[in-house]
Amino acid sequence: RVLCLELNKDRDVERIHGSGINTLDIEPVEGRYMLSGGSDGVIVLYDLENLSRKPSYTCKALFSVGRSHPDVHKFSVETVQWYPHDTGMFTSSSFDKTLKIWDTNTLQPADIFHFEGTVYCHHMSPVATKHCLIAVGTKSPKVQLCDLKSGSSSHILQGHRQEVLAVSWSPRHEYILATGSADGRVKLWDVRRASGCLSTLDQHNGEKSKASSEAANTAHNGRVNGLCYTSDGLHLLTVGTDDRMRLWNSSTGENTLVNYGKVCNESRKGLKFAISCGCNPEFAFVPYGSTIAVYTIFTGELITMLRGHYSTVNCCVFQPHFQELYSGSKDCNILAWIPAPREAVPDDVSEKSLPQQHLNPAYEDAWSSSDDEG
């Protein structure tokens, strides 16, 4: 289904944003409601379900926090995220130096955290049961942890040298956090440990001969502005402004050396890419200029480029229930990418007489039965 994703001509997402769309999130409970955040500070909530039951339909905006709302963000919204456990709450962070916790039903902020610098990103753990910490990356090299329970943001993680552009909690271990910074480094932290980070990922896997002491322990030779765990939490994918994407073993910290080729990345801020969930093999969907590049994660193969936006794509989000993808762009549009419907095969046609469809190499079966070889 992912290999035949195409721009859906029968599904529109209602156009509300009057400026670029920076961030999208689909709630994990039902996979039905989507949030978007724009560079004008506006947040919109959509219902993705086809309530009309007609083949062509528009995903309606249920409501928005618009420019006239008293609590609207003053500047660009960089990240929106649903509370992972129910749809009654969502979060947003902005260049206006705030992180807001919203009550979905009243559209009022239940809490607001203020920071000294621009907020680039934030993330809540999808699996945490013992803590309610939101990791926040700002203009400061210190990673901030905001506690939803106590309302304090006193906890900080120190170790980066420049601003923190990307943060992501492990979907496997609730206390493990990955952070990426403009200093070229990716750090893994156990937030229970006061002593600092667990490890700093090294693109050279410790081979000092290749790296000058200056470049030692960098994940990228540029700003690290995107990171995302695979759904099982065993690997971490990072992107940097060195036009590289790297896949790391998240328990050993080893660079797996998968070669994705040149991944053009001119973003001066966080790049919001997505990884599939429940597919075999798993895919990465990476904004690439005005297109979205689709890679197989473990082989590095560029499968396809999804074309449809008129301007820079800023974010994409994967809907695992139906293997759908939504993308947001500077062109103010949100596009839906849906698997192309397969032609039905009439019952009286035997499988053998059908022309063999060329399988994408990502799906070709390398297995052979011993009978063929004897």
Side-chain angles (χ1 to χ4, degrees):
R1 285 170 65 84
V2 172
L3 291 177
C4 55
L5 278 178
E6 59 178 36
L7 186 59
N8 191 320
K9 309 194 175 44
D10 295 322
R11 184 182 316 184
D12 283 323
V13 180
E14 191 176 349
R15 186 168 164 160
I16 304 289
H17 286 281
S19 67
I21 293 154
N22 295 327
T23 170
L24 295 169
D25 192 41
I26 296 174
E27 45 84 17
V29 184
E30 291 179 79
R32 174 175 172 180
Y33 299 103
M34 182 170 72
L35 291 165
S36 63
S39 46
D40 54 1
V42 170
I43 298 168
V44 184
L45 193 159
Y46 305 88
D47 186 347
L48 300 179
E49 193 155 306
N50 181 4
L51 298 172
S52 73
R53 298 275 173 262
K54 291 181 183 142
S56 293
Y57 69 100
T58 298
C59 299
K60 289 287 181 205
L62 295 181
F63 39 73
S64 64
V65 179
R67 295 303 315 157
S68 58
H69 191 289
D71 297 296
V72 67
H73 281 289
K74 295 195 173 42
F75 303 122
S76 176
V77 174
E78 291 299 302
T79 312
V80 289
Q81 188 192 0
W82 287 100
Y83 181 61
H85 308 296
D86 69 62
T87 54
M89 187 161 83
F90 66 88
T91 55
S92 62
S93 60
S94 159
F95 278 178
D96 67 9
K97 308 180 184 178
T98 66
L99 163 70
K100 298 188 179 185
I101 317 300
W102 298 86
D103 180 320
T104 313
N105 299 309
T106 63
L107 277 197
Q108 300 299 318
D111 209 345
I112 301 179
F113 294 91
H114 296 270
F115 302 93
E116 285 175 13
T118 301
V119 181
Y120 288 106
C121 56
H122 75 271
H123 192 231
M124 275 182 285
S125 167
V127 294
T129 54
K130 299 185 182 71
H131 73 77
C132 282
L133 296 172
I134 304 178
V136 185
T138 70
K139 196 113 179 118
S140 154
K142 300 181 179 109
V143 181
Q144 312 267 346
L145 296 178
C146 298
D147 193 337
L148 271 185
K149 285 205 178 92
S150 68
S152 94
S153 56
S154 52
H155 202 107
I156 53 173
L157 306 172
Q158 300 200 54
H160 282 298
R161 299 176 188 176
Q162 293 182 45
E163 63 246 53
V164 177
L165 299 172
V167 294
S168 181
W169 292 96
S170 161
R172 196 175 188 90
H173 305 289
E174 66 174 284
Y175 293 106
I176 303 297
L177 175 71
T179 59
S181 163
D183 63 12
R185 288 173 172 79
V186 172
K187 290 181 178 286
L188 300 178
W189 316 78
D190 181 331
V191 297
R192 295 168 298 188
R193 289 178 29 159
S195 56
C197 85
L198 288 174
S199 63
T200 302
L201 301 184
D202 174 16
Q203 58 183 304
H204 304 290
N205 286 334
E207 292 180 41
K208 285 284 177 279
S209 56
K210 289 186 189 160
S212 67
S213 57
E214 181 53 46
N217 277 25
T218 55
H220 289 270
N221 301 327
R223 300 152 65 88
V224 181
N225 60 351
L227 43 81
C228 191
Y229 277 96
T230 53
S231 56
D232 58 13
L234 295 177
H235 291 87
L236 180 69
L237 197 59
T238 62
V239 293
T241 55
D242 55 357
D243 292 341
R244 287 283 175 259
M245 186 155 74
R246 295 205 166 91
L247 183 72
W248 311 82
N249 177 316
S250 59
S251 53
T252 65
E254 187 182 7
N255 178 359
T256 63
L257 304 176
V258 173
N259 180 9
Y260 300 95
K262 185 178 179 185
V263 183
C264 285
N265 175 359
E266 294 170 355
S267 174
R268 301 303 301 154
K269 49 187 192 177
L271 190 74
K272 307 279 197 289
F273 67 99
I275 291 182
S276 65
C277 171
C279 299
N280 184 19
E282 297 288 5
F283 300 93
F285 305 95
V286 185
Y288 197 111
S290 63
T291 66
I292 299 151
V294 183
Y295 296 91
T296 43
I297 287 180
F298 295 106
T299 65
E301 189 187 358
L302 175 60
I303 297 291
T304 185
M305 304 285 270
L306 301 176
R307 304 176 193 279
H309 282 291
Y310 301 113
S311 185
T312 309
V313 179
N314 292 325
C315 54
C316 48
V317 63
F318 187 70
Q319 209 282 29
H321 304 352
F322 304 115
Q323 293 83 43
E324 297 170 350
L325 187 76
Y326 291 85
S327 58
S329 161
K330 212 171 174 172
D331 64 15
C332 310
N333 290 324
I334 298 173
L335 298 183
W337 308 85
I338 312 294
R342 293 238 178 92
E343 293 297 320
V345 179
D347 293 343
D348 56 346
V349 180
S350 75
E351 291 281 313
K352 291 274 188 297
S353 64
L354 285 172
Q356 289 296 308
Q357 280 187 314
H358 173 65
L359 255 183
N360 188 295
Y363 279 145
E364 264 169 27
D365 201 338
W367 179 82
S368 68
S369 73
S370 52
D371 300 353
D372 302 345
E373 291 162 8

